[in-house]
């Protein structure tokens, strides 16, 4: 897409501007002055003089791979690495556009500087910055890397900072993450250099229009002033990843005590520095998340709506006890909560403590083997969406009890995503129907989205009866995904009766995923003469293990008349 847009822009330009865009050498005598180039020439397309059209064109060079992903630090770092070549192409193209003419300069600069992978490119705008060391080996940040070290003098002319502050307002997103996962060359400014920048800025933020900040913190004493300088009142999304690189002679308790005062100072600055913060994430890795949860519960911006707390699942030495979760009750404004924590037994005096969060509408939480789940303690009368992953399910009656507890804790539940796992990879003698496992959830008539993932070695089977039961209980269902990684397809024998039941009882169903479709002659003979609902909204039937064209035509003609799919020739599956 970027290459096609780039070619289209070049085709509309006059010859001299084409040479600039292509990067080819140009004859200085043929270069137009800046004043003359500010006005589009007669040979240039008239549309290129319209600033709104230029903005619409250049927005295609924004960093599209981030659109629609969950922006956790690990996922963003992966995208930076995987899409590095795309990012280089878009950056070079935007840089060429800036130099073509004044009409292009402003809209291209807005997109070019909108997203940064590091704050250092902005600091390089200061001419006084000079390199003091090159290719310095460093064992930090997930392995040895090479850094170029730069320094900034104590006295820097104000004119240089004026130049920096001219470009700083363009930056809207900053993802300062692990260099080990980003292939571009790394550079850092000395701590003394940062002091010089902070002194020149005073109490003003470096990036006044920053909206999203992701930061990998490894040296809290050095990095706290840097983060504070970047905390702009315009920030809506803040994700902080705390990485601890333990030396052999260090103990975790000592490291946590060293981090504690800096984390508290950072949290204390949040209400004043980022008063409009909406989404906050702390990823504490091997640190105890209570270092963050306790002070944050007492001192968070009232605008906060989304909170994510995570530590390493393998770090069992810092498992939460029941009092550790009680500060969650102080987050009265939280609507979306993600907890990825190691949790100790939540039973206190023979009972499980209840943590009521009645403003909560979304909850994402994993189960960890050997630990209880915070879901056993959290309750919300307004929860609509529940996402649970890693639930160890090899005792069916236990899972039934878990579903029953969800119904009690979240009576308004409308959406559930559940990934069932098992440590036992072996065949089972008998299986439970999935509708029996989920039977308590059938009491929730407002259910709109159900996504259940599991594998064949779990004692689960899916039949027409199960899907029919779901269709009759969840008449408001819009999305139904039964996503199984099947090693034994005989466990999943759904066919045309399942589809007929969904077409009859679920008029709002628009997204359906089945494991397989088994077409039986008797079922074809028993199909109704006309589709049960001629106006049904379903446009796609996705089947994990394929659907032949004849089957697709049968389903479209007799059950879901508004299907709109094309055959994917790569694997012979019908897709959206």
């Amino acid at each position: 897409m970027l290459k096609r847009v780039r070619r289209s822009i070049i085709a509309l330009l006059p010859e001299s501007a084409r040479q600039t865009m292509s990067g080819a050498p140009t004859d200085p005598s043929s270069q137009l002055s800046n004043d003359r180039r500010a006005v589009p020439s007669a040979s240039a397309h008239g549309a290129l003089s319209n600033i709104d059209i230029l903005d619409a064109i250049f927005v295609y060079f924004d960093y599209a791979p981030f659109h629609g992903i969950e922006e956790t630090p690990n996922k963003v770092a992966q995208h930076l690495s995987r899409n590095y070549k795309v990012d280089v192409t878009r950056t070079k193209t935007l840089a060429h556009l800036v130099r073509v003419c004044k009409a292009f300069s402003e809209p291209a600069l807005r997109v070019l500087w909108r997203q940064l992978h590091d704050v250092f490119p902005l600091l390089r705008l200061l001419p006084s910055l000079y390199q003091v060391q090159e290719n310095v080996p460093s064992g930090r940040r997930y392995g040895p890397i090479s850094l170029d070290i730069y320094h900034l003098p104590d006295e820097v002319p104000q004119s240089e900072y004026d130049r920096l502050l001219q470009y700083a307002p363009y930056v809207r997103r900053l993802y300062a993450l692990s260099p080990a996962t980003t292939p571009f060359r790394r550079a850092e400014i000395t701590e003394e250099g940062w002091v010089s920048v902070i002194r020149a800025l005073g109490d003003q933020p470096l990036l006044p229009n920053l909206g999203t900040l992701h930061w990998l913190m490894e040296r809290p004493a050095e990095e706290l002033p840097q983060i504070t300088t970047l905390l702009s009142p315009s920030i809506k999304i803040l994700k902080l990843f705390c990485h601890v690189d333990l030396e052999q002679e260090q103990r975790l308790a000592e490291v946590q005590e060293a981090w504690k005062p800096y984390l508290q100072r950072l949290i204390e600055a949040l209400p004043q520095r980022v008063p409009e913060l909406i989404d906050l994430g702390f990823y504490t890795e091997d640190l105890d998340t209570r270092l963050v949860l306790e002070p944050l519960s007492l001192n968070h911006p009232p605008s906060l709506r989304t909170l994510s707390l995570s530590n390493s699942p393998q770090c069992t030495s810092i498992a939460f006890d029941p009092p550790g979760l009680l500060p969650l009750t102080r987050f009265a404004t939280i609507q979306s909560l993600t907890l990825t924590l190691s949790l100790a037994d939540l039973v206190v005096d023979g009972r499980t403590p209840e943590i009521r969060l009645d403003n909560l509408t979304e909850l994402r939480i994993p189960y960890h083997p050997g630990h209880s789940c915070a879901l056993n303690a959290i309750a919300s009368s307004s929860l609509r969406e529940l996402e649970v992953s890693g639930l160890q399910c090899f005792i069916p009656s236990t899972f039934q009890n878990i579903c029953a507890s969800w119904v009690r804790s979240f009576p308004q539940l409308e959406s559930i995503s559940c990934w069932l796992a098992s440590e036992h990879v072996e065949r089972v003698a008998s299986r439970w129907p999935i509708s029996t496992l989920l039977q308590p959830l059938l009491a929730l008539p407002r259910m709109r989205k159900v996504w259940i993932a599991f594998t064949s070695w779990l004692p689960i089977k899916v039949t027409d009866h199960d899907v029919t039961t779901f269709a009759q209980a969840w008449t408001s269902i819009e999305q139904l995904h039964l996503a199984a990684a099947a090693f034994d397809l005989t466990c999943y024998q759904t066919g045309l009766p399942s589809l007929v039941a969904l077409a009859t009882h679920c008029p709002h169903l628009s997204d359906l995923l089945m494991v397989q479709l088994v077409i039986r002659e008797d079922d074809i003979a028993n199909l109704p003469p006309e589709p049960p609902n001629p106006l049904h909204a379903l446009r796609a039937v996705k089947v994990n293990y394929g659907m032949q064209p004849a089957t697709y035509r049968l389903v479209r003609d007799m059950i879901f008349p508004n299907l709109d799919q094309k055959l994917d020739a790569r694997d012979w599956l019908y897709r959206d």
Side-chain angles (χ1 to χ4, degrees):
M1 172 62 76
L2 294 183
K3 291 182 178 179
R4 290 198 297 270
V5 174
R6 189 174 189 273
R7 287 195 297 266
S8 300
I9 294 174
I10 293 176
L12 295 173
L13 295 174
E15 184 60 32
S16 59
R18 292 183 193 179
Q19 293 178 351
T20 303
M21 276 289 293
S22 62
T26 58
D27 181 3
S29 63
S30 65
Q31 294 288 330
L32 296 175
S33 67
N34 286 338
D35 291 337
R36 292 181 61 193
R37 288 167 64 187
V39 181
S41 65
S43 60
H45 196 285
L48 298 183
S49 62
N50 187 305
I51 190 66
D52 294 329
I53 294 178
L54 292 178
D55 284 336
I57 293 174
F58 294 164
V59 76
Y60 282 94
F61 292 91
D62 201 359
Y63 199 56
F66 280 178
H67 296 173
I69 73 166
E70 182 186 357
E71 293 189 355
T72 62
N74 284 336
K75 289 187 178 181
V76 171
Q78 292 172 5
H79 276 259
L80 290 176
S81 177
R82 294 172 182 172
N83 298 285
Y84 171 66
K85 292 183 179 180
V86 175
D87 193 40
V88 169
T89 299
R90 79 173 188 94
T91 302
K92 287 183 177 180
T93 301
L94 288 168
H96 287 317
L97 288 169
V98 171
R99 294 191 290 269
V100 166
C101 62
K102 285 186 176 180
F104 282 11
S105 179
E106 179 65 21
L109 280 173
R110 282 200 295 267
V111 180
L112 178 62
W113 285 93
R114 184 173 298 168
Q115 175 175 300
L116 293 181
H117 303 150
D118 194 354
V119 73
F120 186 76
L122 186 66
L123 299 179
R124 290 199 66 175
L125 294 172
L126 299 171
S128 296
L129 192 72
Y130 64 93
Q131 186 172 339
V132 292
Q133 288 180 288
E134 184 178 3
N135 293 328
V136 178
S138 171
R140 304 191 314 267
R141 300 186 179 184
Y142 304 101
I145 59 172
S146 294
L147 296 172
D148 295 337
I149 307 299
Y150 287 77
H151 183 66
L152 195 66
D154 292 338
E155 299 296 332
V156 177
Q158 185 59 39
S159 59
E160 294 189 16
Y161 284 110
D162 291 342
R163 181 169 182 259
L164 181 146
L165 296 176
Q166 179 183 353
Y167 287 88
Y170 289 124
V171 182
R172 303 302 177 94
R173 301 186 294 264
L174 174 60
Y175 299 92
L177 298 169
S178 171
T181 58
T182 51
F184 38 83
R185 189 175 181 86
R186 302 300 303 186
E188 286 188 359
I189 185 173
T190 61
E191 184 178 357
E192 296 78 12
W194 264 108
V195 171
S196 178
V197 174
I198 295 170
R199 186 188 304 115
L201 293 172
D203 198 38
Q204 299 300 314
L206 175 60
L207 307 174
N209 296 323
L210 190 65
T212 298
L213 173 61
H214 288 217
W215 188 277
L216 175 68
M217 185 189 301
E218 298 177 300
R219 309 179 303 279
E222 301 175 22
E223 296 180 42
L224 180 59
Q226 302 173 22
I227 299 174
T228 305
T229 302
L230 294 170
L231 291 180
S232 167
S234 60
I235 289 180
K236 300 294 191 298
I237 301 174
L238 176 62
K239 307 287 184 178
L240 297 170
F241 193 101
C242 304
H243 174 62
V244 178
D245 192 6
L246 288 175
E247 303 291 342
Q248 291 184 353
E249 65 274 10
Q250 286 183 306
R251 291 187 303 174
L252 182 59
E254 297 174 352
V255 174
Q256 293 190 154
E257 285 301 315
W259 277 71
K260 184 176 180 179
Y262 299 105
L263 291 174
Q264 289 181 341
R265 285 166 54 189
L266 174 60
I267 291 172
E268 289 172 0
L270 293 181
Q272 180 182 2
R273 288 279 183 172
V274 285
E276 299 180 4
L277 185 66
I278 295 175
D279 187 349
L280 174 62
F282 265 99
Y283 304 84
T284 54
E285 207 172 55
D286 291 331
L287 295 176
D288 192 335
T289 309
R290 277 168 289 203
L291 297 177
V292 171
L293 180 57
E294 288 281 356
L296 189 61
S297 66
L298 298 170
N299 198 29
H300 58 273
S303 59
L304 193 64
R305 296 294 182 269
T306 301
L307 177 65
S308 301
L309 297 174
S310 172
N311 64 9
S312 175
Q314 290 76 31
C315 193
T316 57
S317 61
I318 56 172
F320 266 60
D321 52 10
L325 287 174
L326 292 178
L328 288 173
T329 58
R330 303 188 189 116
F331 292 92
T333 62
I334 292 296
Q335 297 175 355
S336 178
L337 177 63
T338 300
L339 295 177
T340 308
L341 306 173
S342 297
L343 298 166
D345 192 357
L346 291 174
V347 178
V348 179
D349 299 329
R351 60 184 179 84
T352 300
E354 184 179 69
I355 300 173
R356 293 208 64 85
L357 300 171
D358 283 332
N359 286 328
L360 197 66
T361 59
E362 298 178 10
L363 178 61
R364 297 176 179 85
I365 191 165
Y367 280 73
H368 293 306
H371 295 282
S372 299
C373 178
L375 207 55
N376 300 338
I378 297 175
S380 173
S381 60
S382 58
L383 193 77
R384 299 293 189 271
E385 298 183 23
L386 174 63
E387 182 177 321
V388 181
S389 61
L391 177 57
Q392 300 292 316
C393 177
F394 46 87
I395 303 178
S397 57
T398 301
F399 183 67
Q400 271 191 329
N401 293 335
I402 291 173
C403 289
S405 69
W406 294 348
V407 174
R408 290 192 299 270
S409 300
F410 314 117
Q412 302 299 320
L413 195 64
E414 297 179 358
S415 173
I416 183 167
S417 300
C418 185
W419 174 56
L420 306 179
S422 175
E423 296 177 336
H424 303 281
V425 184
E426 57 185 24
R427 291 185 177 274
V428 293
S430 60
R431 296 177 177 273
W432 283 39
I434 192 170
S435 60
T436 303
L437 283 175
L438 302 179
Q439 191 274 332
L441 297 179
L442 300 178
L444 299 173
R446 300 175 60 181
M447 192 67 71
R448 296 183 299 107
K449 297 181 180 180
V450 176
W451 183 88
I452 308 294
F454 47 92
T455 52
S456 292
W457 58 74
L458 291 173
I460 298 174
K461 64 179 179 180
V462 183
T463 65
D464 286 324
H465 172 75
D466 298 311
V467 179
T468 301
T469 301
F470 293 155
Q472 294 172 347
W474 297 329
T475 56
S476 299
I477 195 78
E478 298 172 7
Q479 180 188 78
L480 177 60
H481 281 204
L482 301 177
F487 300 96
D488 182 3
L489 283 175
T490 60
C491 309
Y492 314 113
Q493 296 290 316
T494 55
L496 297 178
S498 302
L499 301 183
V500 171
L502 292 169
T504 303
H505 301 287
C506 307
H508 305 293
L509 184 66
S510 60
D511 188 356
L512 176 63
L513 172 64
M514 309 287 285
V515 181
Q516 68 166 339
L517 282 177
V518 179
I519 306 301
R520 310 176 185 91
E521 293 296 331
D522 292 345
D523 293 338
I524 296 176
N526 292 328
L527 282 174
E530 296 182 356
N533 185 352
L535 301 179
H536 201 283
L538 190 66
R539 297 292 184 270
V541 176
K542 291 167 282 189
V543 181
N544 273 350
Y545 290 87
M547 181 168 26
Q548 296 297 323
T551 302
Y552 168 73
R553 288 191 293 270
L554 175 66
V555 172
R556 182 193 59 194
D557 296 341
M558 303 301 295
I559 304 176
F560 295 112
N562 295 312
L563 290 182
D564 182 15
Q565 291 178 291
K566 294 182 180 180
L567 185 65
D568 190 333
R570 293 171 298 178
D571 51 15
W572 295 92
L573 297 179
Y574 282 96
R575 301 187 184 277
D576 293 341

